[in-house]
Each structure stands twice: as structure tokens, then as C-alpha cells.
Amino acid sequence: MKTSKLIGRMLFMGAFIWGAIMQTFAQKVLPEITVTELRYKYLNAVNPEETAQPVNMLEQYAADYDVKGAKFYEDEYDHYFVSFYIPQGKILAVYSKDGNLLRTIEKYNNVALPGVVNQAVAKQYPTWAISEGVYVVTYRENGGDATTKIYKLLLEKGDMRKKVKINQKGEIQ
């Protein structure tokens, strides 16, 4: 009898604790993101669907950055250069004094490659293995198609090494 009461109390306490934990998770509020037209242009230009998660994260951060709210902001300067870093890469962004994102130069090391790039390498170099990769992005606000996305890969086959450049469409250059 004492054992069943003890088990009942333990189950009750376990259910109570579980309910309390679930309440704390349920009340998390995510930060609000405001997407302006200029931010949308940047993200639309640089962020295809198959981009690696660290790249997406850093590009979203650069797009959301408010240079007018920064401590160093003053109206007298026309441009502001801001750097963003994560272990896998970095972005150097140029903002206007109005807060518009004008251009970026981005470099990411050894991030996951999109399927199109992997397929292009496998088709052109079937017996080679990708040992290193660098993803380089350049963006210009008024450049139209001036946004470039290049994967610089180091391929290895035994003792041989080969450097290859491939764009985001899988075209080897």
C-alpha cells in the first residue's frame, strides 16, 4: 500500500514539474523582424533556397542591422562600413547614411554546398573529392545582375589537387 502511494505521489510530482516546464517553453516570444524594401532586395539577391544555414543567418543579420541606431552613427558621414563575423564566415557591408544597404562582400569557409554545385562537381570530376571550399558573394544595390556568387573548391584525387570555380547555377568557370 505504501509503495502504491509513493508511486502515485511521484507520478503527480512528475506531471506537475512537466506542466511547469512546458509553460515556460510556451511563453517564449520571438523577436519581431521588419523587412523593408531595401532589405528585401538584398536578401532576394543573395539568398537562394539552398544556401547553408550559417550563411542565411549572417545575411539576415546584415539585412536587419540598423546603422542609424548604432553608437558610432553621425549624420555627417555618407557611408558606414560594418563587419559581421561568425566562425564560418564574414560580411563587410556598406550602408548609406539613410540606413540603406548599398553593397557587401562576403566570404564563407567550408559551408554545405547546394545540390546543383555538388552535382556539377560529381559530373565533371567523378573520381575527385572536395577537400576545401570557399563561398564568395558580392552584392551591389543598383547593380541588377551584378550580384555574384562563386564557390571556390579544392579538389583532390590521390596526390593531385585542382582548384575549381563554380557559380550558384553549377556552371564551372
Side-chain angles (χ1 to χ4, degrees):
M1 187 75 166
K2 288 184 180 183
T3 306
S4 64
K5 284 185 179 180
L6 182 61
I7 291 174
R9 287 182 183 166
M10 289 176 63
L11 287 174
F12 176 75
M13 288 301 290
F16 178 75
I17 291 171
W18 179 257
I21 290 172
M22 293 310 291
Q23 277 295 97
T24 60
F25 287 128
Q27 295 185 15
K28 261 189 185 174
V29 178
L30 297 175
E32 184 176 324
I33 295 176
T34 305
V35 178
T36 64
E37 180 181 345
L38 296 170
R39 292 177 183 167
Y40 174 74
K41 286 180 185 179
Y42 166 69
L43 290 175
N44 196 31
V46 299
N47 208 340
E49 293 178 14
E50 287 191 44
T51 305
Q53 184 62 31
V55 176
N56 287 338
M57 181 189 71
L58 197 58
E59 288 175 342
Q60 183 69 44
Y61 192 75
D64 291 341
Y65 186 74
D66 181 19
V67 74
K68 293 175 94 176
K71 291 180 182 179
F72 56 82
Y73 179 79
E74 295 180 17
D75 280 338
E76 64 187 62
Y77 299 112
D78 291 333
H79 298 94
Y80 292 89
F81 295 86
V82 181
S83 298
F84 303 93
Y85 296 96
I86 59 172
Q88 295 89 349
K90 57 189 167 189
I91 295 177
L92 175 60
V94 179
Y95 295 88
S96 69
K97 67 180 177 182
D98 298 326
N100 300 335
L101 182 56
L102 301 176
R103 60 187 178 270
T104 65
I105 299 172
E106 307 173 29
K107 181 180 177 184
Y108 306 94
N109 296 315
N110 297 321
V111 294
L113 302 175
V116 175
V117 173
N118 277 328
Q119 291 171 2
V121 171
K123 184 177 179 183
Q124 188 71 26
Y125 304 99
T127 58
W128 292 75
I130 300 171
S131 63
E132 292 180 22
V134 175
Y135 178 46
V136 179
V137 180
T138 57
Y139 165 79
R140 292 186 186 279
E141 177 188 24
N142 297 325
D145 289 335
T147 300
T148 60
K149 302 170 212 165
I150 301 291
Y151 293 88
K152 297 178 181 181
L153 306 175
L154 179 64
L155 306 178
E156 291 183 345
K157 178 178 163 183
D159 292 339
M160 297 185 292
R161 292 178 151 201
K162 180 178 272 198
K163 291 183 179 181
V164 177
K165 289 183 183 179
I166 301 177
N167 66 13
Q168 78 275 8
K169 297 176 185 174
E171 300 166 347
I172 298 174
Q173 301 176 343

